[in-house]
Amino acid sequence: LLINKDQSLLILHLRTFIPYFLFLYMITDEKQVFRILWVFLIFGLIAGIYGIYCIKFGIGHSDRGVYRISSFFENPNTWGQVNTLLIPLAISLFIFYKSKIYKIFIFSIILLLLLGILASNSRMCFFALLPTVFFVVLKFYSGHNKIFAFVVTIFALLFTYYILPDSFKWKYMNRITNVMQSEEIAEVDSGRSTTFKVGFKIMLDNPIFGVGFTGYREKYAEMAISDPDIELFKGARTDEPLKPHNILSETGAFLGVIGLFLYLLLLLTAYKCAKNSQHRFELLGNQRMKVASIFMQSFLLCSFVLGQFTPFLTSKFFWMILPICARLETLSIQRYKEKYDG
């Protein structure tokens, strides 16, 4: 169903989903989970350092007069997504560690990740950042402490916005207000809203199994011929369909109602695993794994928000996090039984 007549896509999409099975069977204990989280964060640090290099030497993409940095990644949006998804991990570790050295180091990474989001100039990341920051901070506190944390977070965000140069403030507000427009020059007139409508139209016409990855392109091209409001963009050799910019319409068009239901079920199950794991690890006094569980919940929330404005079904980062959620569930149950039933 995923390949739908185009076998050349097989290896491409296998490459996306293979990390799920690797992480699922590779992780056997809590130490490995925490090491993987640090690997993620260090990767973000390295990409951020290279991003500064790109900024200094003007290595990037020009998008309608706006210069955008992509670091190691092909697309600035991808780098912005990774930075945004790593922000809750960095905040979680910052709250967890008591050592001033660790706090200074992690705070520096947070600043670098924020700089990366600004340099990528990705509207969807600007939009997803605020709810993600509030969510991860409030997950660490309860009662009156939660209210205090909420107020402190508001002041911290306002202060961060206040100290930004005026050019960055304008850029932030301008990109936020135009979030439903498309990213590419050739897609300006159509925007994300067009692909959203097209995706759901394809899903309604093919509700059971969808049309697959290749079928989406064919159906889009057919609809563009009959509907003047649906435009193609100029590719390297010929006019091509716009990529879907919404995870719900993307999944529905590719895999149908059944696939969309399974995707949402997978997302909710992963979130439930992470939430249950947090509760068990709190009872066990395992703060490290509590941090990991909170990050997983924050990641899933952030990825869902990002997915409303960008294709996310084949995100490798997403398929790495899902098995960690499952493994946290099994580890928390195992440790809980060892302590209370053994």
Side-chain angles (χ1 to χ4, degrees):
L1 291 174
L2 289 176
I3 306 309
N4 194 43
K5 299 186 290 185
D6 190 348
Q7 301 303 317
S8 64
L9 291 175
L10 177 61
I11 301 301
L12 174 64
H13 294 301
L14 277 179
R15 253 182 358 186
T16 298
F17 302 117
I18 280 175
Y20 176 89
F21 299 99
L22 288 177
F23 275 67
L24 185 64
Y25 293 103
M26 182 178 66
I27 300 171
T28 57
D29 58 39
E30 291 90 334
K31 289 183 180 180
Q32 289 179 341
V33 172
F34 217 65
R35 285 172 188 160
I36 289 173
L37 297 186
W38 268 106
V39 168
F40 288 155
L41 198 61
I42 296 301
F43 174 78
L45 172 63
I46 295 171
I49 292 173
Y50 181 66
I52 293 176
Y53 174 85
C54 293
I55 294 172
K56 181 175 177 60
F57 292 98
I59 304 172
H61 303 262
S62 179
D63 181 5
R64 283 168 282 158
V66 177
Y67 208 69
R68 307 179 62 193
I69 306 299
S70 56
S71 185
F72 293 120
F73 302 91
E74 182 180 354
N75 190 302
N77 282 338
T78 307
W79 187 37
Q81 285 178 33
V82 171
N83 286 324
T84 307
L85 292 167
L86 287 175
I87 285 285
L89 173 59
I91 293 175
S92 299
L93 293 174
F94 180 83
I95 296 173
F96 168 70
Y97 282 107
K98 307 304 178 185
S99 167
K100 291 183 179 179
I101 296 177
Y102 270 108
K103 283 190 177 292
I104 293 173
F105 176 64
I106 296 171
F107 184 71
S108 302
I109 296 178
I110 293 174
L111 293 179
L112 200 59
L113 294 173
L114 289 173
L115 176 62
I117 294 172
L118 291 171
S120 71
N121 204 16
S122 176
R123 291 172 292 202
M124 59 184 174
C125 297
F126 295 159
F127 190 83
L129 184 61
L130 291 179
T132 303
V133 169
F134 278 109
F135 180 84
V136 68
V137 171
L138 296 180
K139 288 294 289 186
F140 277 93
Y141 302 98
S142 59
H144 294 298
N145 290 333
K146 189 182 288 279
I147 298 174
F148 179 74
F150 180 80
V151 174
V152 170
T153 304
I154 290 177
F155 277 102
L157 291 171
L158 290 174
F159 178 74
T160 302
Y161 183 77
Y162 174 76
I163 64 176
L164 287 174
D166 289 338
S167 59
F168 277 116
K169 293 177 184 177
W170 177 86
K171 181 189 296 185
Y172 178 85
M173 295 307 299
N174 184 59
R175 298 290 280 180
I176 283 291
T177 54
N178 292 289
V179 72
M180 287 307 291
Q181 293 179 2
S182 97
E183 292 295 324
E184 303 297 332
I185 296 176
E187 299 175 12
V188 172
D189 294 329
S190 294
R192 290 182 169 88
S193 57
T194 298
T195 60
F196 179 84
K197 296 173 183 176
V198 168
F200 272 103
K201 178 69 166 57
I202 294 174
M203 180 183 70
L204 293 176
D205 291 342
N206 305 270
I208 306 302
F209 297 118
V211 295
F213 287 90
T214 304
Y216 171 83
R217 296 169 58 85
E218 296 174 355
K219 291 293 183 181
Y220 190 109
E222 291 175 8
M223 294 173 66
I225 294 173
S226 59
D227 189 341
D229 293 330
I230 300 175
E231 297 186 7
L232 302 172
F233 75 92
K234 200 166 190 62
R237 298 181 178 179
T238 183
D239 291 344
E240 299 179 6
L242 303 179
K243 295 180 180 178
H245 278 72
N246 178 276
I247 183 62
L248 300 179
S249 64
E250 175 191 22
T251 308
F254 290 174
L255 307 177
V257 175
I258 293 177
L260 179 59
F261 172 76
L262 290 175
Y263 168 78
L264 293 174
L265 182 63
L266 183 66
L267 193 67
L268 290 172
T269 302
Y271 184 86
K272 184 179 179 182
C273 286
K275 187 175 182 180
N276 291 341
S277 300
Q278 177 193 345
H279 177 67
R280 293 191 193 95
F281 284 126
E282 282 179 343
L283 293 176
L284 294 167
N286 191 331
Q287 295 300 313
R288 278 192 173 190
M289 290 300 98
K290 174 186 173 182
V291 167
S293 302
I294 290 176
F295 165 61
M296 297 302 152
Q297 295 171 67
S298 306
F299 180 98
L300 294 171
L301 170 69
C302 186
S303 65
F304 186 74
V305 175
L306 289 171
Q308 304 314 302
F309 309 102
T310 184
F312 217 85
L313 185 61
T314 55
S315 167
K316 293 184 180 66
F317 201 3
F318 176 76
W319 290 100
M320 290 178 186
I321 292 298
L322 290 181
I324 299 178
C325 293
R327 186 56 67 197
L328 282 173
E329 172 87 341
T330 57
L331 286 172
S332 66
I333 292 173
Q334 181 181 345
R335 299 295 179 259
Y336 189 86
K337 288 182 176 179
E338 288 174 356
K339 183 172 182 178
Y340 294 103
D341 298 338

